[in-house]
Amino acid sequence: MSFLCSLTETTIIIRSVLIVAILLSIAAAYYIYLPLPCTISEPWKLMFMDSVLRGVMHVSFLAHGLGLTIRVTETSFGGVQAQVFESTAADQEPHLKRGVVYFHGGGWTLGSGKMQTYYLQCWSMAEELDGVVISIEYMLAPEARFPDQYNEAVQASKHILTAEVLSLYSIDPKRVAVSGDSAGANLAAAVAQQMALDNSDPIKFKVQALDFNTPSYQQNGHIPILHRLLMARFWLEYLNGDPRLVTSLLANNHTTPTPSQEIAAAKAKTVWTKLLPVAFQKNYKPLLEKLPGLLDVRAVPLLADMKVLKAVPPAYIMTCEHDVLRDDGLMYATRLEEVGVDVTVDHYEDCFHGCLSFAFGPFGFSVGFRSFRNCTRWLKVNL
């Protein structure tokens, strides 16, 4: 009798476990699945990665001592924290190296150069270029608001572009680049503009490598990794805007019937119907997204005057088809080309926002590695 009771209890437990497992599997599939364009690279891997990032936002650190060709140190430049990745492959034959000042992404509110993806990216870039990559740890919102991040980016760059610092790391003063992805690309472009005009600094950046409401905001509003709603919230955090404005910002209800002269001038520099190739305009209608800080060129390098754009160094701009920021990069490239700046646009039809950061690590994507490889190839030739 006791044997039959025990068997019945075991059966009930097994059935319960199976039912729970099935329900959890259904729930997980529902949470992970997102309808994605058929042209996007490795959709299931992207869905899984996006679900993990949505569920858990954490910073992972890579243990030191992964190899012998890169030396990593933590220091500060002008009071701004940074990690320095130095190639030591040719230390037996001292020579001047390429240098890259890098700003990580994360919507000015998240991220760190110490995150595994950025750590590996900077490590690999230093190794590929046989150079020195300096990853800047600028302050983040909400503890810091615009223009704090911009000021720190400029402050660190000015300190790095001194003969003393460049000599310390054996960096060739004629071969220094500024680079970044997403919000970091925004900072890199703004820094490049400021440093190009600053006559007090004789050493300038040689090139800039950038990975950036337009058609792409509408087309890719719900595509991982950067959703349109999240981007709007990032802007409000960065510019210290009222969080309640997010609905109006997305609905375009915050604009005034009679724009001021300043707004009209800003709009004239961002007319995507003029700046974007027809293939990217598709059937979308213009939207104006207004916030006081969005009229500040330090926050929106795309608004820079022609005389400023003429002074910036040659640019490599990477854009992704399935990215809300696609058109920001394409329009900035067009504005640079219009004033005669040498621009290389590297567009990926199967790419999503931030894929360059997923070239390495547990969520490595083939398109991420492909974009990283092409970017470093361009730097090798042009830096």
Side-chain angles (χ1 to χ4, degrees):
M1 187 70 173
S2 60
F3 174 75
L4 289 176
C5 289
S6 176
L7 183 61
T8 302
E9 290 175 357
T10 302
T11 302
I12 292 174
I13 292 174
I14 293 175
R15 286 179 177 177
S16 299
V17 170
L18 287 174
I19 291 172
V20 171
I22 292 172
L23 291 176
L24 288 175
S25 298
I26 294 173
Y30 180 79
Y31 182 73
I32 292 172
Y33 178 76
L34 286 172
L36 297 176
C38 61
T39 57
I40 205 163
S41 175
E42 301 175 75
W44 279 105
K45 186 185 290 187
L46 177 59
M47 287 182 218
F48 179 75
M49 180 183 65
D50 181 64
S51 67
V52 172
L53 293 178
R54 279 186 282 124
V56 182
M57 295 299 292
H58 70 278
V59 178
S60 58
F61 293 85
L62 183 69
H64 290 274
L66 286 180
L68 301 176
T69 60
I70 300 296
R71 177 170 55 244
V72 183
T73 56
E74 294 190 7
T75 184
S76 64
F77 299 99
V80 183
Q81 296 299 308
Q83 291 85 45
V84 181
F85 299 78
E86 299 177 77
S87 170
T88 60
D91 274 1
Q92 301 301 322
E93 300 179 9
H95 65 290
L96 292 179
K97 305 171 184 176
R98 301 179 180 92
V100 177
V101 178
Y102 193 84
F103 299 100
H104 67 80
W108 309 281
T109 66
L110 304 170
S112 165
K114 295 179 181 179
M115 289 177 63
Q116 186 180 30
T117 51
Y118 285 119
Y119 195 102
L120 285 170
Q121 180 180 324
C122 291
W123 178 293
S124 301
M125 186 178 292
E127 193 170 40
E128 287 287 325
L129 296 176
D130 183 25
V132 179
V133 176
I134 302 176
S135 179
I136 306 299
E137 289 290 317
Y138 55 90
M139 294 186 296
L140 302 174
E143 286 74 19
R145 306 284 190 174
F146 174 80
D148 293 343
Q149 291 91 331
Y150 167 83
N151 288 337
E152 282 206 334
V154 171
Q155 184 175 327
S157 298
K158 287 173 68 70
H159 191 81
I160 292 169
L161 293 182
T162 59
E164 180 182 3
V165 172
L166 296 180
S167 175
L168 176 64
Y169 294 104
S170 299
I171 298 175
D172 189 337
K174 297 180 179 179
R175 304 173 76 190
V176 188
V178 61
S179 182
D181 71 290
S182 192
N186 170 281
L187 290 173
V191 166
Q193 292 179 6
Q194 174 60 30
M195 299 301 292
L197 295 177
D198 193 341
N199 295 326
S200 66
D201 295 300
I203 302 175
K204 305 292 184 182
F205 288 117
K206 182 180 180 182
V207 296
Q208 52 183 324
L210 312 173
D211 176 15
F212 285 93
N213 198 346
T214 58
S216 62
Y217 268 87
Q218 300 173 63
Q219 173 187 332
N220 302 311
H222 302 287
I223 300 295
I225 290 294
L226 185 61
H227 303 264
R228 184 166 173 254
L229 175 61
L230 184 59
M231 189 65 227
R233 288 177 174 170
F234 280 156
W235 272 114
L236 290 171
E237 283 289 333
Y238 183 42
L239 300 176
N240 200 20
D242 187 340
R244 292 174 297 182
L245 285 175
V246 68
T247 302
S248 297
L249 193 64
L250 293 174
N252 203 38
N253 292 333
H254 52 281
T255 57
T256 55
T258 307
S260 67
Q261 185 176 359
E262 183 182 17
I263 295 174
K267 287 180 65 178
K269 298 171 184 174
T270 57
V271 180
W272 56 260
T273 53
K274 173 186 175 183
L275 296 174
L276 279 179
V278 176
F280 293 100
Q281 294 184 24
K282 302 181 180 179
N283 296 318
Y284 296 105
K285 298 179 180 180
L287 291 175
L288 171 65
E289 304 208 40
K290 175 182 172 293
L291 197 64
L294 289 178
L295 302 179
D296 193 316
V297 70
R298 296 172 299 172
V300 189
L302 180 61
L303 300 181
D305 292 333
M306 292 180 63
K307 65 178 181 180
V308 176
L309 296 178
K310 286 181 180 179
V312 303
Y316 171 92
I317 297 178
M318 172 188 164
T319 58
C320 304
E321 177 64 22
H322 306 291
D323 181 3
V324 296
L325 298 183
R326 178 196 70 198
D327 299 343
D328 296 60
L330 293 173
M331 290 192 295
Y332 191 56
T334 298
R335 290 212 67 208
L336 291 176
E337 290 172 339
E338 288 178 344
V339 297
V341 175
D342 186 14
V343 180
T344 298
V345 176
D346 198 6
H347 182 72
Y348 293 83
E349 291 288 343
D350 59 343
C351 203
F352 51 89
H353 179 83
C355 72
L356 181 64
S357 302
F358 297 103
F360 307 96
F363 295 114
F365 282 73
S366 59
V367 68
F369 182 74
R370 183 169 16 114
S371 63
F372 171 81
R373 181 182 57 196
N374 291 340
C375 180
T376 52
R377 282 177 178 172
W378 185 89
L379 285 171
K380 281 183 178 181
V381 173
N382 296 278
L383 184 58

